[in-house]
């Protein structure tokens, strides 16, 4: 995510809690979330904002991001044109890596291909 996309999310978060953060805090938060898909970041902020009374810590928002990341990737797979067996396989991988805490870069790259070109994965294997 670009810094501009990140700042858009932080403005949204600030609007939920009527709280601003310092430039130093922005830098710290950006380092934690810069590798997150913007759509996932925004959804996590909205979910956190409507369900929690207090401004989040980086760790609290990261937990929400992890849940939203799993939903995001599963949605990409389910809405793709790949065959049902490969969908099931990819969904199992997503669930496994969500539990393990980190998605392998190759898996992330292949899942992101589904966003723009669902046909890309049809003839490829997906290994973590």
């Amino acid at each position: 995510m670009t810094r501009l996309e990140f700042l858009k999310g932080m403005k949204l978060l600030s609007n939920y809690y009527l709280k601003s953060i310092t430039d130093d805090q922005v830098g710290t938060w950006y380092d934690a979330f810069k590798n997150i898909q913007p759509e996932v970041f925004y959804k996590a902020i909205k979910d956190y904002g409507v369900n929690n009374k207090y401004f989040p810590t980086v760790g609290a928002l990261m937990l929400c991001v992890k849940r939203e990341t799993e939903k995001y990737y599963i949605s990409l797979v389910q809405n793709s044109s790949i065959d049902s067996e490969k969908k099931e396989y990819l969904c199992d991988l997503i669930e496994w890596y969500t539990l393990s805490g980190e998605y392998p870069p190759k898996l992330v790259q292949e899942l992101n291909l589904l966003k723009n070109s669902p046909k890309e994965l049809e003839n490829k294997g997906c290994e973590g």
Side-chain angles (χ1 to χ4, degrees), residues 33-91:
F33 294 102
K34 65 184 173 188
N35 294 322
I36 305 300
Q37 293 286 333
E39 303 92 338
V40 170
F41 187 60
Y42 303 149
K43 178 74 173 106
I45 288 171
K46 289 176 186 175
D47 182 56
Y48 192 93
V50 298
N51 291 303
N52 294 278
K53 186 175 179 179
Y54 299 104
F55 195 87
T57 61
V58 169
L61 188 57
M62 187 60 79
L63 287 174
C64 200
V65 163
K66 286 180 181 183
R67 287 191 303 269
E68 292 302 326
T69 299
E70 179 181 19
K71 291 179 195 175
Y72 174 75
Y73 286 144
I74 287 177
S75 174
L76 284 177
V77 170
Q78 294 298 342
N79 293 321
S80 72
S81 61
I82 59 178
D83 66 71
S84 61
E85 190 173 305
K86 187 163 277 197
K87 282 183 183 183
E88 183 177 346
Y89 172 70
L90 288 173
C91 286

Side-chain angles (χ1 to χ4, degrees), residues 88-103:
E88 183 177 346
Y89 172 70
L90 288 173
C91 286
D92 286 346
L93 277 179
I94 292 164
E95 289 173 13
W96 167 254
Y97 286 114
T98 297
L99 292 173
S100 73
E102 190 172 336
Y103 297 95

